[in-house]
Amino acid sequence: MTARRALITGITGQDGSYLAEFLLQQGYAVVGMVRRASTEPFERIAHLRERITLKPADLLDQASLIHLVREVRPHEIYNLASQSFVPTSWEQAVLTAEFTAVGVTRLLEAIRLVDPGIRVYQASTSEIFGKAQEVPQHERTPFYPRSPYGVAKLYGHWITVNYRESYGLFACSGILFNHESPRRGKEFVSRKVTDGVARIKHGLATELKLGNLDARRDWGYAGDYVKAMWLMLQQESPDDYVIATGETHSVRELVQIAFARAGLNWRAHVVEDLALKRPAEVDLLQGDASKAKRVLGWQPEVGFRELIEMMVDADIERYAEALPGSGRSGGR
Ligand code: NAP
Ligand code: F7E
């Protein structure tokens, strides 16, 4: 039997790499969309390179998306590509809208033109709840985004719903709460902290500058969350789902767990930097994933403490391997 084909945009990112691994395990032929760069940003998928196909296209370029979908003719498309760092969205608000908002329409148009039977997953986000109107947040909670990123993602969410309702596309929007891993970008708070702890542990740094320690998030493990993306596209009918752990923790709690894992006192190293505070903050996110549990049979497997400790251990090990005299060469 011919393998089912999946196309992943954003395959070089955190989620793209875990989703590619998961779909390969399920027997899919996996094609990743990559944008042109003068150096190859393929670190997270280096271990998969022989088993996946990479093809060039860009969310900013309509024709490239049409050609790509026509060439690959996937059964499923996972749209994970976006400008995903919230602070950058204030500095590059228009570009964020081009990738993260209008880019979704460009991809949906390509699907509609080439083959409206292709199933599509849109990477939506808890940032669309922003200044949360209720706790916990679920699929019917009113939206109130608090950054250009959140606003752009809300457009992406609604255009996905609209193409489903207008053209009958099998289009699902996954409203995923924060999810992390040892492959998380170092600019996001979880990885910034675990990388900082590892650097301090190895004597490479003495302090770690952070912004708002009071912000609260519902943090889960990326490896668990990509399974939910796939499950959404295996249902009889398309729908939107909140994916979350149901727990909320502060950045301060995250810091305490991370430093304690390395046997360090966080108060001796963490420095508050007002420049890292945001023009408008999302104070408290906590998701209610009961619909996903009921309909998809999905539930998270890795808890908050286990996640942060996994990330600290991985970063400490990575520096141990890279440092001279370790007797080991190369990074993770
Ligand atoms: P990430 O690590 O920042 O990866 C983003 C990916 O998008 C990278 O592969 C990047 O490619 C690609 N990309 C950016 N602009 C592009 C363009 N114009 N054309 C083609 N590719 C482009 O993000 P992530 O954490 O894996 O998140 C995956 C998706 O889920 C994103 O849409 C994010 O906004 C959303 N999301 C994430 C979370 C979370 O907690 N992680 C929660 C909810 C939703 P390069 O390698 O070339 O830069
Ligand atoms: O910030 C606070 C910061 O950048 C979390 C993206 O994947 O998840 C992510 O967005 C919290 C915020 O993630 C620092 O103010 C304190 O309250 O790790 P973050 P995010 O903004 O929640 C959502 C679901 C997405 O969709 C996004 O794509 O931590 N914080 N001090 C800090 N944050 C950072 N980055 N750096 C600090 O020094």
Side-chain angles (χ1 to χ4, degrees):
M1 202 175 79
T2 330
R4 286 181 70 73
R5 285 182 303 285
L7 173 63
I8 305 175
T9 77
I11 195 165
T12 56
Q14 170 188 259
D15 290 6
S17 67
Y18 283 104
L19 180 63
E21 277 171 13
F22 177 75
L23 293 175
L24 286 170
Q25 281 164 15
Q26 302 300 312
Y28 281 73
V30 175
V31 179
M33 180 184 107
V34 288
R35 55 180 170 165
R36 200 258 159 197
S38 65
T39 52
E40 290 194 343
F42 299 157
E43 189 186 321
R44 296 188 180 98
I45 49 170
H47 60 300
L48 304 174
R49 279 301 291 278
E50 303 302 316
R51 301 168 62 205
I52 58 178
T53 307
L54 299 180
K55 293 204 174 276
D58 198 301
L59 283 181
L60 298 185
D61 190 276
Q62 180 72 72
S64 73
L65 296 172
I66 296 171
H67 289 308
L68 177 68
V69 176
R70 194 173 278 151
E71 188 187 347
V72 177
R73 286 305 288 265
H75 301 90
E76 296 169 11
I77 297 183
Y78 296 85
N79 184 33
L80 310 186
S82 85
Q83 190 304 93
S84 75
F85 190 46
V86 171
T88 297
S89 78
W90 276 286
E91 289 158 14
Q92 299 177 5
V94 175
L95 188 62
T96 299
E98 286 289 353
F99 286 165
T100 306
V102 186
V104 184
T105 311
R106 292 193 190 96
L107 185 64
L108 291 168
E109 277 292 289
I111 293 169
R112 191 171 75 84
L113 289 170
V114 175
D115 177 2
I118 295 170
R119 295 186 172 204
V120 58
Y121 171 84
Q122 166 58 21
S124 195
T125 167
S126 50
E127 285 292 298
I128 64 179
F129 296 123
K131 190 171 180 179
Q133 301 297 291
E134 63 180 317
V135 181
Q137 298 88 41
H138 53 82
E139 291 80 3
R140 293 171 315 287
T141 298
F143 304 124
Y144 194 141
R146 290 274 278 172
S147 64
Y149 169 80
V151 173
K153 279 287 186 185
L154 185 51
Y155 173 98
H157 175 79
W158 278 122
I159 201 72
T160 302
V161 174
N162 182 261
Y163 271 52
R164 181 168 77 217
E165 294 177 355
S166 302
Y167 303 116
L169 293 191
F170 194 109
C172 300
S173 180
I175 307 173
L176 272 53
F177 282 60
N178 299 52
H179 47 280
E180 322 293 312
S181 74
R183 296 183 203 163
R184 184 61 142 151
K186 286 183 189 169
E187 66 274 39
F188 299 95
V189 77
S190 63
R191 185 76 196 288
K192 182 175 173 181
V193 169
T194 64
D195 180 73
V197 164
R199 289 172 59 79
I200 293 168
K201 184 74 180 170
H202 283 293
L204 299 170
T206 53
E207 69 172 30
L208 177 64
K209 287 185 179 161
L210 292 173
N212 180 10
L213 298 184
D214 296 318
R216 300 184 74 87
R217 290 288 184 280
D218 180 328
W219 279 288
Y221 171 54
D224 288 342
Y225 284 39
V226 298
K227 290 180 197 160
M229 299 176 185
W230 176 77
L231 282 168
M232 286 178 214
L233 297 197
Q234 311 315 309
Q235 304 305 306
E236 274 187 15
S237 50
D239 207 343
D240 308 321
Y241 298 89
V242 159
I243 300 297
T245 69
E247 284 183 25
T248 186
H249 299 275
S250 66
V251 174
R252 186 176 284 98
E253 285 172 74
L254 187 159
V255 166
Q256 283 166 348
I257 291 174
F259 277 81
R261 178 68 170 182
L264 298 167
N265 175 6
W266 71 275
R267 290 180 192 280
H269 302 285
V270 170
V271 176
E272 190 187 9
D273 183 349
L274 291 178
L276 291 167
K277 296 208 171 165
R278 300 178 178 186
E281 179 61 286
V282 170
D283 295 319
L284 192 167
L285 290 176
Q286 182 174 10
D288 172 0
S290 30
K291 178 176 169 186
K293 284 181 187 161
R294 191 179 69 251
V295 180
L296 305 177
W298 177 86
Q299 60 178 24
E301 280 162 29
V302 177
F304 177 64
R305 174 178 291 277
E306 190 186 347
L307 170 66
I308 301 307
E309 292 183 346
M310 173 210 299
M311 293 173 67
V312 170
D313 293 352
D315 276 323
I316 289 177
E317 174 66 11
R318 201 168 42 81
Y319 280 107
E321 284 177 4
L323 283 172
S326 70
R328 293 174 281 183
S329 59
R332 279 172 102 83

